[in-house]
Amino acid sequence: ADDPAIAPRLQALWETGPGLWGWLCSVDHKAIGLRYLVTSFLFLLAGGLEAAVIRWQLAQPGQRLLTPEQYNQLFTMHGVTMIFLYALPVLSGFSNFLWPLILGSRDMAFPRLNAFSYWVFLASGIYLYASFPLGRAPDAGWFNYTPYTGHEFNPGINIDVYALGMVLLGVSTTVGAVNFIVSLLRTRAPGMSINRVPILVWGTLTASVGNLFAVPAVSLAFFMLWMDRQFHSHFFDVAGGGQPLLWQHLFWMFGHPWVYAIVLPAMGIVSDGLPTFCRRPLVGYTPVALATVTTMVLGFGVWVHHMFATGLPPVSLSFFSAASFAIVIPSAVAVFSWLATIWTGRPVFRTPFLFFAGFVVLFVIGGLSGFMTASVPVDRQLTDTYFVVAHLHYVIIGINVFAVVGGIYYWFPKFTGRLLDERLGRWNFWIMFVGFNLAFFPMHVLGLLGMPRRIWTYSADMGWGPLNLLVSVGSVVFALGVAMLLANVALSLRRGALAGDNPWDAPTLEWSVPSPPPPYNFLVIPLIASRHPLWEARLDDRRARSRLDAGPLLDHGRETLGTTALDAEPDVILRMPGDSPAPLLLTLSLVGLFTGLLVHAWWVAGVGGAAAALAMLLWLWPERKLGQVREAAYA
């Protein structure tokens, strides 16, 4: 490692090629992570603009800004955008960038699969949004309930766009989940046993395992709906012996675990970022890790929580109600852990800490409103009212967005090498926090007053006008806060203070490398002996320490170290594939296939399928031996 020629050699081996072609072919996890972050934020802005139009329509009674059909398309695409195109992909962006750095690896386990997951995510978003200019956007809600989505009631291509676009997005989610799971099991640094990985890793791992079970269920439902609409297969058609309620079961078997998939990684961001500013380790690491896993396991047993008003047998509802109450317990474990970490630490009130603390407040409010709807009698009164809309936004915006923005302030120095402006960041927090609560807390009251969700307009004598106006004003304030974040990012990219390697004095491994990291991440693979390797320097010399410069060098190609699943003992040298156009070509082929299915151009679908097969052949064409097993022991 002391040889000055090693770093240039690794740089040449790992860096992305120049120009547009190199950008399109890159498999660098850091570039892919930043693409996920930027793209998902663009979708967040699109969803925010849709929400602004919706709030303008509802700010006063009797508004006629939109037609009912335009409103249906707008609120459907708003829900699809925020829940599917923003909430999980933005967390995938953090994890794609950070995981190899946190785990002590040079890349994800499957770099080309990683690039493929991003391109398919982008393609699915464009596929869905391309229906807007045609006036054929999905229009039956993000939940897309049958029989309203059957061909008889919705004969256009709106629902076909939704079904096929969501199947395409499911491909991205599934392959991304596989990549995260294998990366955790096989690419950790030596000594980073399973009980030493940060909570962010636990959150993303749990979400990924959950998605492997949840996404196939809903993808099957999307495909069955498309078959019903195209070939009259009668899966959901009562006249043909089908069951419309089957759609709800299949959708919510996915939908409720998905809620935790977009929450658990966000909780991981807070669990790893908050201790840095409290100047102490997280209180209760093991209970929080176990609570993370338990939350997802219980999440698969509460899908009927969304179906209490559908007429299912009361005995069965009681079991799902009990499970919905029980799932609060692991969430409470995390909350008490965060509060204890703040209470027993010495908090440093920087902008990331403010967002993380605000996240805890909003997490409790959102959790309590969800807890209320776990009661069957209460849920039957509140279902399909704005109370549920308020709860959903406290989860999607309050829990997800505040953790994400806190994570951006925390890891922006690692992404770019520069710090975001602290004064603007504090204003950013308070405007977003006040605006969010002005916008969404009154929705609880509107729901209790009986305002139904998915309503196009309302009459003045209902008495909902003043609260809706307050909601709309709060939305403007919150949007101003988001604009301040974007302005801070734009200004700091040019004039932000240089960050250095570890501006926060953080304990985890990603802060041991330069900011931004080199293409190869680590000059040598580090050896790990605790959960907080960068804080170990303060321990007595006689105690065991991590050795960040004493592991294997691995400079004979694009190589990283493979380790055992539980104890992270060195096991194999993994030779990683280089940049390739195959992931992008496979994505374009799939887009052609799905477009042919959408417009019934079967020859186009056939050409797309054949092109996909050729792209996969290019992808898998052997270049060299991919791995070399070695017996390795490090003192």
Side-chain angles (χ1 to χ4, degrees):
D2 295 330
D3 185 350
I6 292 175
R9 183 161 67 248
L10 288 173
Q11 180 86 12
L13 287 169
W14 285 91
E15 68 180 348
T16 297
L20 177 61
W21 181 252
W23 187 84
L24 294 173
C25 298
S26 176
V27 296
D28 183 358
H29 73 95
K30 298 179 289 297
I32 293 168
L34 292 177
R35 291 176 194 179
Y36 261 112
L37 287 171
V38 172
T39 305
S40 59
F41 252 83
L42 291 175
F43 282 123
L44 174 67
L45 295 179
L49 289 174
E50 291 156 0
V53 178
I54 291 171
R55 289 316 315 166
W56 191 0
Q57 169 71 18
L58 295 175
Q60 293 293 319
Q63 297 273 65
R64 292 296 186 270
L65 175 65
L66 301 169
T67 66
E69 177 57 29
Q70 290 171 337
Y71 184 84
N72 285 342
Q73 293 185 24
L74 202 64
F75 90 76
T76 298
M77 285 302 297
H78 169 69
V80 169
T81 300
M82 300 301 286
I83 295 171
F84 297 120
L85 298 177
Y86 160 74
L88 185 67
V90 73
L91 298 173
S92 296
F94 279 104
S95 295
N96 266 294
F97 189 100
L98 294 170
W99 262 44
L101 296 169
I102 287 174
L103 297 177
S105 175
R106 285 181 174 158
D107 210 327
M108 300 288 285
F110 304 118
R112 291 183 181 178
L113 200 65
N114 205 24
F116 176 65
S117 71
Y118 168 75
W119 291 121
V120 175
F121 155 62
L122 176 62
S124 64
I126 295 173
Y127 189 94
L128 288 163
Y129 265 85
S131 60
F132 251 136
L134 304 176
R136 292 292 184 267
D139 57 359
W142 69 277
F143 40 81
N144 209 56
Y145 284 160
T146 59
Y148 307 118
T149 53
H151 194 272
E152 178 183 0
F153 298 103
N154 203 320
I157 65 169
N158 310 61
I159 304 304
D160 299 319
V161 171
Y162 173 92
L164 294 175
M166 293 304 296
V167 171
L168 195 60
L169 182 61
V171 173
S172 170
T173 305
T174 302
V175 300
V178 170
N179 203 9
F180 282 125
I181 294 169
V182 178
S183 296
L184 181 278
L185 294 177
R186 294 294 285 159
T187 65
R188 303 195 308 277
M192 186 177 282
S193 55
I194 200 70
N195 63 334
R196 289 174 177 168
V197 298
I199 298 296
L200 171 61
V201 176
W202 278 110
T204 307
L205 172 68
T206 305
S208 299
V209 173
N211 283 335
L212 283 186
F213 290 94
V215 172
V218 78
S219 296
L220 174 64
F222 294 143
F223 185 72
M224 290 163 63
L225 177 62
W226 182 76
M227 292 285 288
D228 271 10
R229 292 176 55 84
Q230 305 304 319
F231 305 111
H232 308 290
S233 53
H234 305 299
F235 289 110
F236 307 111
D237 182 10
V238 174
Q243 289 287 340
L245 204 60
L246 174 62
W247 171 270
Q248 291 197 39
H249 281 292
L250 290 173
F251 185 85
W252 290 116
M253 283 178 187
F254 151 83
H256 205 91
W258 183 266
V259 171
Y260 299 112
I262 63 179
V263 166
L264 292 176
M267 294 169 65
I269 289 174
V270 174
S271 295
D272 284 345
L274 191 65
T276 297
F277 298 94
C278 293
R279 317 314 300 160
R280 59 148 300 143
L282 179 72
V283 173
Y285 168 91
T286 300
V288 172
L290 293 174
T292 300
V293 177
T294 303
T295 299
M296 182 57 78
V297 172
L298 290 176
F300 277 93
V302 298
W303 79 87
V304 179
H305 171 97
H306 299 269
M307 301 171 62
F308 284 167
T310 58
L312 294 174
V315 174
S316 65
L317 296 185
S318 64
F319 289 102
F320 287 97
S321 178
S324 299
F325 282 121
I327 206 168
V328 174
I329 297 173
S331 298
V333 169
V335 171
F336 283 112
S337 171
W338 299 325
L339 293 178
T341 301
I342 296 172
W343 184 262
T344 60
R346 296 181 178 179
V348 179
F349 292 90
R350 302 294 294 272
T351 299
F353 176 84
L354 295 178
F355 275 97
F356 296 150
F359 162 92
V360 176
V361 174
L362 300 178
F363 185 92
V364 172
I365 296 174
L368 287 174
S369 61
F371 177 81
M372 293 172 65
T373 58
S375 169
V376 176
V378 173
D379 182 79
R380 285 182 171 172
Q381 295 297 316
L382 297 178
T383 191
D384 287 333
T385 71
Y386 254 72
F387 189 95
V388 179
V389 177
H391 166 66
L392 186 62
H393 282 83
Y394 267 85
V395 172
I396 302 296
I397 306 297
I399 296 177
N400 183 286
V401 171
F402 273 76
V404 164
V405 176
I408 289 173
Y409 275 94
Y410 181 49
W411 279 297
F412 187 84
K414 188 56 59 180
F415 297 158
T416 66
R418 295 183 179 273
L419 290 163
L420 289 168
D421 183 79
E422 183 67 19
R423 179 181 295 180
L424 187 57
R426 291 173 182 268
W427 278 101
N428 185 188
F429 166 75
W430 286 112
I431 289 176
M432 285 186 68
F433 188 78
V434 171
F436 173 84
N437 285 286
L438 279 177
F440 299 111
F441 194 85
M443 288 184 178
H444 294 97
V445 181
L446 284 169
L448 293 172
L449 293 176
M451 181 174 175
R453 64 194 300 192
R454 303 185 291 275
I455 190 173
W456 166 58
T457 189
Y458 54 93
S459 61
D461 57 4
M462 300 303 296
W464 302 331
L467 283 174
N468 270 300
L469 182 60
L470 179 60
V471 169
S472 298
V473 171
S475 301
V476 173
V477 176
F478 182 77
L480 177 62
V482 175
M484 291 180 68
L485 169 66
L486 299 177
N488 201 346
V489 169
L491 293 172
S492 298
L493 281 173
R494 292 189 174 186
R495 301 198 299 267
L498 295 178
D501 296 349
N502 189 3
W504 310 121
D505 189 21
T508 44
L509 206 55
E510 74 272 23
W511 299 102
S512 67
V513 300
S515 303
Y520 49 86
N521 291 351
F522 297 94
L523 193 64
V524 297
I525 304 299
L527 303 182
I528 303 302
S530 83
R531 294 175 191 148
H532 310 99
L534 301 192
W535 281 352
E536 287 184 298
R538 302 172 185 177
L539 299 177
D540 189 274
D541 288 340
R542 292 171 295 178
R543 299 184 61 176
R545 292 186 184 177
S546 302
R547 290 174 291 170
L548 305 184
D549 58 354
L553 179 58
L554 303 182
D555 64 336
H556 298 294
R558 293 176 69 112
E559 297 173 330
T560 194
L561 190 66
T563 53
T564 57
L566 294 180
D567 295 326
E569 296 179 353
D571 181 52
V572 66
I573 293 176
L574 302 173
R575 192 176 296 275
M576 312 302 286
D579 295 347
S580 171
L584 177 58
L585 294 177
L586 180 56
T587 300
L588 296 175
S589 302
L590 290 178
V591 171
L593 169 63
F594 278 73
T595 302
L597 295 177
L598 177 67
V599 300
H600 298 175
W602 308 118
W603 68 271
V604 174
V607 171
L614 292 175
M616 292 178 67
L617 183 63
L618 173 64
W619 183 326
L620 299 174
W621 194 264
E623 297 178 359
R624 63 182 66 182
K625 190 174 181 180
L626 292 179
Q628 180 179 358
V629 178
R630 296 181 183 176
E631 294 182 0
Y634 298 92

